[in-house]
Amino acid sequence: MNAVMELEIGPGPESGSYLVRVLRSVGGGEPSETITLDLDELVDRRPALEASVLLSSIAARRVVPDTEAAIQDVGRRLFESAFTGSVASAYRTSIAVASERGTSVQIALRLNAPGLAALPWEALYDPETQTYLCRKEPLVRNVPTPHAATALAVASPLRVLAMVASPRGLPALDVDGERERLQSALEPQIASGRVELHWLEDVSWEGVHHSLLSQEWHVLHFIGHGTYDVDTDEGVLALVGRDGRADYVTASSLADLLDEAEPTPRLVVLNSCQSGAGGTTDLFSGTAAALAYSGIQAVAAMQFSISDTAALAFARGFYTALAYGRGIDEAMRSGRIGILGMGRGTLEWVTPVLYLRGEGARLFDVVPVEAPSASRSDASAQPVQPAASVAGEPEEPATRGQRRKAIIVGIIAGVLAVGGVIAAFALRPTDGGGSDDGGSESTAELAVPLAIDWVDVGLYCTLGDEFVIEVSGRGWLDSTPESQIGPEGLTDGERPEDRVLADANTGSVIGKLNTTPEIFPVGEGTTYACPAQGDLMLGVNDTDLADNSGEFGAFVTLNH
């Protein structure tokens, strides 16, 4: 369990001043400092910052790219303002104590002055350690609540109700492509029986309402258009109206709609532009903040527009961590790390925002299941029909009073991904159910440490069998933060002399059979047809393993 350092930032004694108070910290004490912050100037820089973040996904990399310089400058100013004097001392002490205990420190920000929510706190940059806080520690925006949160006991799979809203009159979305991307991101968890994905066909107010009433859902994942209405100072999402055009739903109305579910979904995913943006006059006006304020336990959103590739990477890291029982704060960080794996130049990891209601970061107490049968795999992607019927029989609804006692919902407004894997996966090969043509499958989960030559997966294939390999996580090729890599390794072509396999990136994941000399590239994932019989081995494309650290997590399916 992570230690917590909670900061409250609210109005100060004078105009333009703010009071920073440490409400709790593992380092002890509750110091406070009065600071000044040019709020208007920082808010005015938001459009330029958003442009920099999006540009970073295609810009050429430099030592510190121009696009990063803007983000780093704002992040440094926010850090030096909030973490100053005795507050800074409490922060350093908390980090040191947590490090000795082998845990992380959740940085929880309670922003009690309206304009503060519009600032990109996820860019907080510590110039002393030259690190972005949200990439090293879980960072959340806290919404206080008088009721303690408890994890919902869930027998796998997590049931996800997903929808793509592409109304006429707005830029058209690639509905099939959006579905395929999310399906691809969740495929390893679907195949293992940890996640069950259903698609809602009728993405209207009535269609969503009917689905929420019909079945119990743990997660609601929205893909579509969102914006910020400056006139009403409130976030809005675009559902599909009866005429096929946009039906703009305010955050407060959406909260009321979700409240119809029995129980309310613990997690709602809103993959929409600016669903995490906050207003400058209403403290809880942003879509994500309004949902958390209205009773949703965790709301993950996007404070800037986000590219498709970043959204997919975030979803992979985020959902994988959740499916393995990680806390929502850790899952959010796993999603950021997933985005970071796209390449060293990307800044889109700053885009996701997490609002957490109360102190409980663990939304689900996930009970593992046996390997799924073919019927489960087939059902996992089935559509949810509008109004007429929803696949499956509805469960007996709980009373509203019972729901009020148990509700601690998590809404995630943002594309969430699969990146953080359990630090040490237990190797658990399992046999799946047979298919109609007599085939069968086996699966294994394992860690691939960067400091070890080869790891035996524990699966044996014969000629014609097929391995499907999915990899996530992070590691380092030396002791510096800059050496951090994902499963794709060094994507800029560096250190070719250290490669085991010349045609694959240095540090990337590679594979082989123990009976043949052939080595093949794996990266984040691949499908490999066995040319002979043998045991599958996975490793890292690096001949110098001495200074390596960290590990990747692999999920392997063997199709016979």
Side-chain angles (χ1 to χ4, degrees):
M1 179 181 293
N2 292 329
V4 177
M5 181 175 184
E6 184 174 8
L7 266 65
E8 179 184 61
I9 308 177
E14 300 177 359
S15 177
S17 70
Y18 299 89
L19 180 64
V20 181
R21 293 196 307 138
V22 176
L23 300 182
R24 55 190 171 122
S25 72
V26 67
E30 298 181 355
S32 63
E33 296 284 349
T34 299
I35 65 171
T36 58
L37 202 61
D38 191 343
L39 186 62
D40 292 337
E41 187 265 338
L42 289 172
V43 170
D44 288 343
R45 293 182 64 178
R46 277 186 58 92
L49 292 176
E50 178 172 9
S52 295
V53 169
L54 283 173
L55 182 62
S56 71
S57 63
I58 58 174
R61 291 187 291 274
R62 304 178 181 88
V63 176
V64 179
D66 294 339
T67 51
E68 183 178 359
I71 284 289
Q72 193 174 105
D73 177 62
V74 170
R76 176 188 56 78
R77 291 173 59 184
L78 290 174
F79 180 87
E80 291 178 343
S81 295
F83 294 85
T84 186
S86 58
V87 174
S89 298
Y91 168 70
R92 303 287 181 202
T93 302
S94 295
I95 294 294
V97 171
S99 179
E100 290 180 357
R101 297 177 180 176
T103 64
S104 300
V105 176
Q106 181 201 94
I107 308 299
L109 303 177
R110 185 180 296 188
L111 306 173
N112 287 344
L116 295 176
L119 301 180
W121 293 96
E122 289 65 31
L124 279 167
Y125 179 79
D126 183 352
E128 181 175 315
T129 59
Q130 297 185 2
T131 57
Y132 293 95
L133 268 61
C134 74
R135 284 166 45 174
K136 296 299 181 184
E137 312 290 344
L139 189 149
V140 306
R141 301 187 182 202
N142 183 265
V143 176
T145 176
H147 305 294
T150 56
L152 176 67
V154 173
S156 292
L158 286 175
R159 303 191 72 245
V160 179
L161 175 63
M163 61 196 73
V164 182
S166 185
R168 288 190 291 114
L170 294 180
L173 298 178
D174 180 2
V175 176
D176 291 338
E178 293 287 357
R179 288 189 176 194
E180 289 175 4
R181 280 186 283 273
L182 183 58
Q183 184 79 25
S184 174
L186 300 185
E187 189 59 40
Q189 307 312 318
I190 293 173
S192 66
R194 292 185 174 89
V195 172
E196 191 172 276
L197 179 63
H198 299 256
W199 288 99
L200 179 63
E201 301 297 334
D202 179 9
V203 193
S204 65
W205 179 276
E206 293 80 6
V208 176
H209 191 193
H210 179 269
S211 296
L212 292 173
L213 292 172
S214 300
Q215 295 189 52
E216 179 177 337
W217 305 102
H218 304 129
V219 181
L220 186 148
H221 188 120
F222 174 88
I223 301 172
H225 295 284
T227 188
Y228 193 81
D229 190 332
V230 295
D231 293 328
T232 62
D233 203 36
E234 186 172 14
V236 298
L237 296 175
L239 298 182
V240 180
R242 294 180 179 178
D243 59 356
R245 295 187 176 274
D247 176 17
Y248 290 103
V249 178
T250 63
S252 56
S253 296
L254 181 60
D256 290 340
L257 177 61
L258 294 173
D259 198 42
E260 279 285 88
E262 299 280 359
T264 305
R266 289 290 176 118
L267 175 63
V268 176
V269 179
L270 303 175
N271 177 17
S272 58
C273 303
Q274 297 185 344
S275 54
T280 56
T281 60
D282 181 357
L283 188 61
F284 297 101
S285 56
T287 308
L291 288 169
Y293 181 68
S294 68
I296 306 303
Q297 184 184 349
V299 181
M302 299 296 151
Q303 62 181 323
F304 300 135
S305 299
I306 188 168
S307 67
D308 288 342
T309 52
L312 175 61
F314 181 77
R316 282 182 179 151
F318 180 85
Y319 275 119
T320 295
L322 275 183
Y324 281 105
R326 295 291 185 93
I328 191 69
D329 55 342
E330 295 173 314
M332 195 72 173
R333 180 177 171 276
S334 293
R336 296 189 200 280
I337 298 303
I339 294 176
L340 190 64
M342 293 166 47
R344 292 188 178 184
T346 184
L347 299 172
E348 291 193 271
W349 47 263
V350 80
T351 298
V353 175
L354 176 63
Y355 283 89
L356 182 63
R357 180 177 173 84
E359 302 176 4
R362 190 168 297 279
L363 304 183
F364 307 107
D365 185 6
V366 181
V367 179
V369 296
E370 298 298 328
S373 64
S375 60
R376 176 188 296 277
S377 181
D378 295 340
S380 64
Q382 66 183 348
V384 177
Q385 299 300 324
S389 64
V390 178
E393 292 297 323
E395 297 183 9
E396 186 68 24
T399 65
R400 183 167 295 273
Q402 290 172 327
R403 175 165 58 89
R404 286 299 183 193
K405 293 179 181 178
I407 198 173
I408 310 168
V409 179
I411 272 196
I412 298 189
V415 184
L416 307 180
V418 236
V421 282
I422 300 277
F425 279 148
L427 184 61
R428 296 177 297 182
T430 57
D431 291 327
S435 62
D436 293 339
D437 60 2
S440 62
E441 68 176 32
S442 302
T443 62
E445 300 163 17
L446 68 149
V448 183
L450 274 73
I452 295 179
D453 194 9
W454 291 98
V455 178
D456 189 340
V457 173
L459 294 177
Y460 180 86
C461 71
T462 58
L463 178 63
D465 288 351
E466 183 180 77
F467 285 113
V468 178
I469 308 169
E470 296 284 341
V471 187
S472 58
R474 60 172 181 156
W476 292 263
L477 295 180
D478 56 43
S479 59
T480 64
E482 292 76 16
S483 70
Q484 179 175 296
I485 59 170
E488 293 292 335
L490 296 174
T491 57
D492 51 8
E494 293 182 4
R495 296 170 52 176
E497 68 279 4
D498 292 339
R499 296 173 183 170
V500 178
L501 179 62
D503 295 335
N505 293 334
T506 306
S508 63
V509 178
I510 53 178
K512 70 174 185 177
L513 297 181
N514 67 338
T515 56
T516 67
E518 176 190 15
I519 298 176
F520 60 92
V522 176
E524 291 184 344
T526 191
T527 299
Y528 180 70
C530 295
Q533 61 185 18
D535 293 309
L536 177 63
M537 314 288 289
L538 292 179
V540 177
N541 195 24
D542 188 5
T543 58
D544 183 8
L545 304 175
D547 295 328
N548 292 358
S549 62
E551 62 187 22
F552 301 125
F555 183 87
V556 182
T557 300
L558 171 61
N559 295 317
H560 300 287

